[in-house]
Amino acid sequence: MQARAISVHGGNRGWWASWALALGLAGTIGWTAPAQAAESHAAPPRVIELTQVGCQFLESENGTHHGVQPRSKADCEAFNDETGEARLAASKVIHLLPGDYVFRVKNEGVPYELGFWLRGDGLVNRARLPSVSGGGLAAGQTKDFAISLEPGEYVYSCPLNPTLDYTLVVEG
């Protein structure tokens, strides 16, 4: 729920608004201090679009669609065992600046539910860097995953598809 800024003019209403703010009642009456209202004008998060097809993210593999038509997680595991090392070596590393992002992930034709998981690369980074994950992405659906990224090395994947662990680096 977004707070609305209203103005309170003179007399008893000005005195009452000051006390309501001090007592924490301002939110219940819909009043917001001017400094808080200014925060709502922050820049919107940047959107990174990713498309999942069978066993891969298209953008991460430079737009190359390998044509895999998996029926289950096991199909992707077998494909990744055979081709994963070479595909990962040729994959695109995403480089971003710190800040707020929305990862817009689309399931393009995979016949089972997919997900998305972005986390720090390795145990130390996984413990100290922010992470976002979720599932329920049926064929043809798109879902947004919001995160505020800090400098560091990340990986992203779909454990349900499953894809490779693609690299994302936040610098700056």
Side-chain angles (χ1 to χ4, degrees):
M1 183 165 146
Q2 187 175 11
R4 293 178 288 132
I6 62 171
S7 94
V8 180
H9 300 283
N12 290 336
R13 285 188 291 173
W15 175 86
W16 189 88
S18 297
W19 276 101
L21 183 61
L23 295 174
L25 299 174
T28 58
I29 63 169
W31 185 80
T32 305
Q36 290 174 323
E39 289 175 15
S40 66
H41 298 294
R46 289 162 277 192
V47 176
I48 308 295
E49 294 185 335
L50 295 171
T51 308
Q52 283 195 64
V53 294
C55 312
Q56 71 174 106
F57 284 91
L58 278 178
E59 296 80 2
S60 308
E61 297 198 32
N62 303 298
T64 301
H65 190 315
H66 296 287
V68 178
Q69 300 294 321
R71 293 194 175 115
S72 70
K73 183 178 178 177
D75 292 342
C76 288
E77 289 168 343
F79 176 67
N80 290 336
D81 285 345
E82 291 174 27
T83 65
E85 189 175 327
R87 289 173 35 228
L88 197 54
S91 70
K92 176 182 173 182
V93 175
I94 297 176
H95 291 271
L96 300 173
L97 295 171
D100 295 332
Y101 291 87
V102 168
F103 286 82
R104 184 161 291 148
V105 181
K106 180 179 182 182
N107 176 345
E108 191 169 287
V110 181
Y112 48 85
E113 280 193 5
L114 305 181
F116 179 70
W117 185 22
L118 171 65
R119 70 259 181 216
D121 186 16
L123 291 176
V124 172
N125 283 335
R126 193 172 300 170
R128 72 173 190 84
L129 293 173
S131 144
V132 64
S133 65
L137 196 56
Q141 286 188 327
T142 301
K143 271 192 159 179
D144 287 350
F145 299 88
I147 187 169
S148 184
L149 293 174
E150 300 172 7
E153 293 187 18
Y154 296 79
V155 292
Y156 63 96
S157 64
C158 174
L160 305 173
N161 197 7
T163 66
L164 302 173
D165 285 341
Y166 300 103
T167 303
L168 182 146
V169 178
V170 179
E171 301 168 308

